[in-house]
Amino acid sequence: LAELPGDTRMIDDLGFDSLAITEVVFFTEDLFGINITNEEIIQVRTLDDLRRFIRGKVAVRAVH
């Protein structure tokens, strides 16, 4: 995934379904020690969206 263009869409281009998205959420939460709500993740559509979202969540966690 790291080598794919940032505008790659998770559902349309990569074929992610709700189960795959859920797995990404659980993996990301465990890896980075963050919490992701359903309302937050539905806003993430592309790989760049996901990267920005994770960076933002990690930055907020680092401040607290």
Side-chain angles (χ1 to χ4, degrees):
L1 291 178
E3 297 181 15
L4 293 173
D7 63 349
T8 301
R9 296 169 296 181
M10 293 173 39
I11 294 172
D12 297 330
D13 297 331
L14 298 178
F16 281 28
D17 59 10
S18 59
L19 180 59
I21 300 274
T22 301
E23 289 177 3
V24 168
V25 167
F26 289 147
F27 176 78
T28 303
E29 286 178 328
D30 287 344
L31 182 64
F32 294 104
I34 59 176
N35 293 316
I36 302 170
T37 66
N38 290 339
E39 292 78 19
E40 291 172 323
I41 201 63
I42 62 172
Q43 303 301 317
V44 175
R45 301 199 188 288
T46 67
L47 293 180
D48 273 349
D49 291 345
L50 182 61
R51 292 174 184 134
R52 276 190 295 273
F53 175 75
I54 292 171
R55 285 184 191 121
K57 292 291 265 188
V58 170
V60 168
R61 187 196 70 174
V63 171
H64 291 105

